[in-house]
Amino acid sequence: MALLALGLAACSSGYNASGTWEGVATNRNYPYDAATVRFILHDQGGVLSGSHYALLDAGWTYVGEVRGTRSGQEASWRVDAPNGYILVEGAFQGEAFRGTYTVAVYGSGNLTATLFLSRARVQNLGFPHGKGPLAQQMAALLEEER
């Protein structure tokens, strides 16, 4: 009986990051700016997949497909885009995620921001930020080759 109870407790304590996560990536370098982001994650035993959106000029813009891993609370995932990629690294803490959000544009370098996400309920973080360096870097990342 004790082994069965211990086994059930171990199974129920497993973390699952599936859901919609919204928050802000904040560039703390000069000039200070931020971008509102959304991730729709599917967590299948630590394998993360899903989609990433950013709130840009015209509203929520699809950025790309999420591919990554989660081990316990620690996670990292990558989103490939036409001109580069986004790398997210950090840790889930219950209904929150804290980490870094790196936007890399091929030929232009990268910008790393602090990322804070919360598991979304009904609310929508629908407030666009100014067109600072982070938003400009993301726009360049998504720009189709000509």
Side-chain angles (χ1 to χ4, degrees):
M1 279 305 234
L3 284 177
L4 178 60
L6 186 59
L8 289 174
C11 289
S12 66
S13 68
Y15 188 80
N16 188 316
S18 293
T20 300
W21 295 84
E22 293 181 340
V24 177
T26 305
N27 172 19
R28 298 197 185 279
N29 297 321
Y30 181 81
Y32 178 92
D33 70 318
T36 302
V37 297
R38 174 186 289 160
F39 293 93
I40 299 172
L41 298 178
H42 306 284
D43 184 345
Q44 295 180 327
V47 175
L48 300 176
S49 62
S51 52
H52 174 30
Y53 298 84
L55 189 58
L56 299 176
D57 293 335
W60 287 108
T61 301
Y62 176 76
V63 176
E65 183 179 337
V66 170
R67 294 178 189 265
T69 59
R70 180 195 49 76
S71 177
Q73 308 295 93
E74 301 290 319
S76 68
W77 62 85
R78 181 177 163 133
V79 178
D80 289 310
N83 293 321
Y85 62 90
I86 293 169
L87 178 64
V88 174
E89 297 176 303
F92 291 99
Q93 300 164 345
E95 299 295 300
F97 177 88
R98 295 184 198 297
T100 58
Y101 182 89
T102 301
V103 180
V105 177
Y106 300 133
S108 296
N110 61 32
L111 189 149
T112 300
T114 302
L115 179 63
F116 176 77
L117 302 172
S118 60
R119 197 182 302 254
R121 301 232 186 321
V122 178
Q123 85 277 9
N124 184 341
L125 298 176
F127 52 94
H129 292 279
K131 192 94 167 163
L134 183 58
Q136 291 171 8
Q137 188 86 344
M138 290 177 68
L141 177 75
L142 297 172
E143 193 173 283
E144 295 292 330
E145 283 190 50
R146 295 172 191 187

